[in-house]
Amino acid sequence: MTAEPSLTFAYEPNATPVAANERAARLVAPQFGRVFTDHMAMIRYSDDKGWHDARITARAPLSMDPASSVLHYAQEIFEGMKAYRLADGGTALFRPEANARRFQASARRMAMAELPEHLFLESIERLVEIDRDWIPTSDEGALYLRPFMIASEVFLGVKPSAEYLYMVLASSVGAYFKGGAPTVSIWVSQDYTRAAPGGTGEAKCGGNYATSLVAQAEAIRNGCDQVVFLDAVERRYVEELGGMNVFFVFDDGSMATPPLRGTILPGITRDSILTIARAQGITVREEPYAIDQWRADAASGRLVEAFACGTAAVVTPIGSVAEPQGRFEIGGGGPGQLTLRMRDALVAIQRGTAPDTNGWLHRLD
Ligand SMILES: *Cc1c(COP(=O)(O)O)cnc(C)c1O
């Protein structure tokens, strides 16, 4: 084992930060992903120097060579997490170590350099501490953090890049879906799949999103909010939405979610809900669930609720499911009881209003 590389982050304060009154105006009702803080984190990697040049610097456009390999072969991965204001006035990240490990797993799948966990954590801690005033004070507000890494070697040959640029952006966000927990309608994609066995489904890479957009556009054309994908082999089993995992709730009080077998993104929200549900004595199965079964169970009343989950939107009730042959409603179309209970339990831990029995909060003070 080689020693963990130790790096000191240089801090280059933004010389022209947004004025306090202007910042307050931008934080009133921030649209997701549009309001950015004054700074960003960056660390460079090269095969010969390893990880180097760690900085917290003013957020600014990048200048890059048009032959940078990410622009041609899409060697890119990202993460998504939030910093929350706690009920006691402190600030915390939620399970950032899990994001650090998933970022490493994504890097391995994409043949990229693996950022050591402590550098991932430090980049985020430093950035949040510096831009803490950008966390909205509203109930559902948070600072959304977007770590990502791109292949930055200037070379048109096809091979793993010898250089990478890792960065973290911070973006002030309010509620993802306005007005609490509105239900979403979802479209079952028939023509497109998201991930095949052996592919990149469990890596958080931009490419997975690029290929989902045409299916998402089709969902909108069919009057739905989101798309849900079926497995690529049998076109039968429900996998996940474009960017959220999915759960089903049954009339016997049990829950189910598709198992992680390489084609589904291992969501940290998914894992947290599994843990919370089991601690509450709820039976949760990780098992394949077929779209035909979903339709039949919704009709018979065996299926009473369904919801999607992920960091950005937390827990989102699914009200109806549309297919070319028709549409079916779930539990009368409104948010279900267990869905709201799971959301409230998770949010309470994230905001520090419920005991953090799993040690999920990573305090910054
Ligand atoms: C990020 C992501 C999720 C949710 O993961 P969380 O860790 O819960 O935010 C689910 N599906 C896809 C495809 C994703 O990219």
Side-chain angles (χ1 to χ4, degrees), residues 241-284:
L241 276 60
M244 283 187 275
N245 295 116
V246 62
F247 276 85
F248 309 99
V249 182
F250 300 93
D251 62 353
D252 63 357
S254 68
M255 292 170 44
T257 191
L260 303 177
R261 290 193 298 205
T263 56
I264 290 175
L265 199 288
I268 294 162
T269 315
R270 174 190 180 278
D271 184 75
S272 304
I273 288 171
L274 286 174
T275 303
I276 291 170
R278 284 174 179 145
Q280 292 192 4
I282 296 168
T283 300
V284 199

Side-chain angles (χ1 to χ4, degrees), residues 149-168:
M149 182 160 68
I150 59 175
S152 53
E153 184 178 356
V154 178
F155 182 50
L156 291 183
V158 180
K159 68 161 186 78
S161 176
E163 293 169 27
Y164 295 96
L165 174 60
Y166 163 79
M167 303 183 72
V168 187

Side-chain angles (χ1 to χ4, degrees), residues 4-10 12 41-56 113-116 118-119 123 149 152-153 162-167:
E4 294 225 308
S6 104
L7 264 187
T8 306
F9 281 75
E12 305 163 340
M42 56 200 296
I43 312 177
R44 289 188 180 275
Y45 173 90
S46 65
D47 279 351
D48 43 317
K49 286 197 210 164
W51 294 99
H52 63 282
D53 193 13
R55 277 185 279 165
I56 307 290
E114 281 178 55
L115 181 67
H118 74 279
L119 290 179
S123 67
M149 182 160 68
S152 53
E153 184 178 356
E163 293 169 27
Y164 295 96
L165 174 60
Y166 163 79
M167 303 183 72

Side-chain angles (χ1 to χ4, degrees), residues 88-113:
D88 66 8
T91 307
L93 299 163
F94 183 72
R95 306 186 68 182
E97 306 82 5
N99 294 93
R101 287 194 293 272
R102 188 169 67 186
F103 197 62
Q104 292 182 326
S106 297
R108 284 195 294 277
R109 178 61 183 87
M110 302 297 283
M112 301 170 84

Side-chain angles (χ1 to χ4, degrees), residues 139-279:
D139 272 0
E140 293 195 59
L143 198 58
Y144 181 81
L145 296 153
R146 168 52 60 85
F148 66 104
M149 182 160 68
I150 59 175
S152 53
E153 184 178 356
V154 178
F155 182 50
L156 291 183
V158 180
K159 68 161 186 78
S161 176
E163 293 169 27
Y164 295 96
L165 174 60
Y166 163 79
M167 303 183 72
V168 187
L169 302 176
S171 176
S172 310
V173 297
Y176 192 82
F177 294 110
K178 292 276 173 288
T183 59
V184 294
S185 53
I186 60 174
W187 167 253
V188 184
S189 183
Q190 311 291 312
D191 296 338
Y192 306 106
T193 57
R194 179 185 166 274
T200 58
E202 65 185 351
K204 212 166 170 73
C205 61
N208 288 343
Y209 279 75
T211 59
S212 76
L213 297 177
V214 65
Q216 174 63 26
E218 191 179 74
I220 303 282
R221 272 203 309 281
N222 283 280
C224 294
D225 302 306
Q226 297 276 324
V227 61
V228 65
F229 291 100
L230 301 179
D231 78 280
V233 177
E234 297 188 54
R235 303 286 181 106
R236 214 180 135 203
Y237 297 104
V238 181
E239 297 233 301
E240 63 172 314
L241 276 60
M244 283 187 275
N245 295 116
V246 62
F247 276 85
F248 309 99
V249 182
F250 300 93
D251 62 353
D252 63 357
S254 68
M255 292 170 44
T257 191
L260 303 177
R261 290 193 298 205
T263 56
I264 290 175
L265 199 288
I268 294 162
T269 315
R270 174 190 180 278
D271 184 75
S272 304
I273 288 171
L274 286 174
T275 303
I276 291 170
R278 284 174 179 145

